[in-house]
Amino acid sequence: MKLFDRSPGENARNYTIRVLLYNIINLELAPGSAVSENELSSTLNLSRTPVREALIELSKSSLVEILPQRGSYISKIDYERIEEARFMRLVLENAVVKLACESPEPVNLKKLKDNISEQKFCLEQEDTARFFPLDNEFHMLLFQSVNKARTFEVIQSQMVHFDRIRTLSLKSSKPTKIVEDHENIIYAIERRDTELAEILMTRHINRHQMEKSELVAAFPDYFIH
């Protein structure tokens, strides 16, 4: 499990949630694995109370399953929840590329292109850990480019289940196609081709569906069947 320094003013409960959330999304805590209050308390150098509170909070998002008399477990990946997250993201991301294509003033895409350059560097270095936040940043910059930053924050708060499948996909194969998708989306926006941009974004957001059978076959214990 990866640990972080506690932020100034961050209480023990929120710190525990942040650490656990990172490790759940990045599969450092594997789906279906047991988590012990005592072990977490010792690892984080905290009392059991904030750890228990954090596990309860994460159980509300169905990331942790608490079973009486049996303990706590990291929830397995549920494709029904992923599908809901995919639907919301697809609708909003397509709306954003449409706004970008139809904006009265051309969208400044420099930050997005710089981000893609960093993604390519990560591919060369085989740094998948750094690639994941860059992928998120690309979409954040896209929303910011049309003044919809708060909308992206809403998406992020609902993406934890979707993000686990993204992480698994990144761990399973080199994310070359993701970078190509990003480049093609920028190309369509520069051409102000709304139809092409929406087609490319739809393919990009739906890419995980093409990999579903392969991921389930490779990691059967990670999924709800």
Side-chain angles (χ1 to χ4, degrees), residues 40-70:
L40 287 173
S41 298
S42 176
T43 300
L44 299 173
N45 195 26
L46 297 171
S47 69
R48 289 181 60 185
T49 299
V51 171
R52 184 182 305 113
E53 290 175 348
L55 291 173
I56 291 171
E57 187 63 29
L58 291 172
S59 73
K60 295 176 183 177
S61 302
S62 297
L63 290 171
V64 170
E65 188 175 9
I66 301 174
L67 302 176
Q69 311 303 320
R70 292 177 57 189

Side-chain angles (χ1 to χ4, degrees), residues 24-27 30-31 77 79 82 128 132 161-174 208 211-212 214-223:
I24 291 171
I25 289 174
N26 288 278
L27 305 178
I77 298 173
Y79 259 102
I82 292 171
T128 55
F132 188 82
H161 292 278
F162 191 80
D163 284 347
R164 287 206 291 173
I165 202 72
R166 289 172 60 208
T167 299
L168 191 58
S169 178
L170 286 175
K171 287 179 180 290
S172 303
S173 60
K174 196 171 182 179
H208 76 92
E211 302 168 340
K212 178 179 177 180
E214 296 174 11
L215 293 175
V216 172
F219 304 93
D221 293 338
Y222 281 12
F223 294 89

Side-chain angles (χ1 to χ4, degrees), residues 100 107-114 142 145 186 189-190:
V107 173
N108 185 345
L109 300 176
K110 183 181 183 308
K111 288 183 179 179
L112 284 154
K113 290 181 178 180
D114 289 345
L142 198 53
S145 73
I186 295 304
I189 292 173
E190 285 185 307

Side-chain angles (χ1 to χ4, degrees), residues 127-187:
D127 187 355
T128 55
R130 173 67 182 135
F131 185 88
F132 188 82
L134 283 172
D135 186 5
N136 282 337
E137 183 182 85
F138 174 86
H139 292 273
M140 177 189 73
L141 290 170
L142 198 53
F143 277 73
Q144 289 177 347
S145 73
V146 292
N147 299 315
K148 293 291 180 286
R150 284 188 290 271
T151 304
F152 183 77
E153 290 175 6
V154 172
I155 288 179
Q156 281 297 90
S157 69
Q158 301 298 315
M159 285 297 117
V160 287
H161 292 278
F162 191 80
D163 284 347
R164 287 206 291 173
I165 202 72
R166 289 172 60 208
T167 299
L168 191 58
S169 178
L170 286 175
K171 287 179 180 290
S172 303
S173 60
K174 196 171 182 179
T176 307
K177 292 293 184 183
I178 295 174
V179 179
E180 291 176 359
D181 286 351
H182 290 166
E183 288 186 305
N184 291 335
I185 289 165
I186 295 304
Y187 169 79

Side-chain angles (χ1 to χ4, degrees), residues 24-42:
I24 291 171
I25 289 174
N26 288 278
L27 305 178
E28 299 294 336
L29 291 172
S33 63
V35 284
S36 161
E37 284 185 17
N38 288 332
E39 289 180 8
L40 287 173
S41 298
S42 176

